[in-house]
Amino acid sequence: MEKSPRIKMPPEVRQFVLNRDGGCCRSCGSTQNLEVDHIIPLAKGGTNDLSNLQALCRPCNRRKKHYVDPRFKRRFT
């Protein structure tokens, strides 16, 4: 499995993901310190596609690290 390259996330993409996810963490519901996370990590073959991005608060994102959390599924729309 080849690692996908990390790209600088444009501010418009970040804002889209945060808006799409209702401005809250998909894990705990917090609205503080939100970050955009790769659902399937780049190191495990995930992509930079919008369907593989989600909003997580900093503490939840730090706990998740590079693991795949089975509670989250990629979004295909």
Side-chain angles (χ1 to χ4, degrees):
M1 182 178 342
E2 191 170 314
K3 180 179 177 179
S4 298
R6 184 167 300 278
I7 60 171
K8 181 164 176 54
M9 188 172 305
E12 300 83 12
V13 171
R14 181 182 190 283
Q15 194 58 51
F16 175 85
V17 172
L18 297 178
N19 289 340
R20 180 197 65 196
D21 290 351
C24 61
C25 175
R26 300 264 301 147
S27 180
C28 72
S30 173
T31 59
Q32 303 297 309
N33 300 314
L34 295 177
E35 301 177 343
V36 175
D37 168 65
H38 290 86
I39 297 169
I40 300 172
L42 296 176
K44 299 202 183 237
T47 67
N48 292 301
D49 188 81
L50 287 171
S51 67
N52 191 43
L53 300 175
Q54 67 183 347
L56 288 182
C57 67
R58 185 170 290 129
C60 287
N61 199 9
R62 296 300 177 266
R63 274 193 301 276
K64 179 180 175 266
K65 298 181 183 179
H66 63 280
Y67 301 106
V68 175
D69 189 328
R71 295 176 297 164
F72 304 115
K73 303 293 182 208
R74 288 184 57 166
R75 300 166 185 259
F76 294 98
T77 55

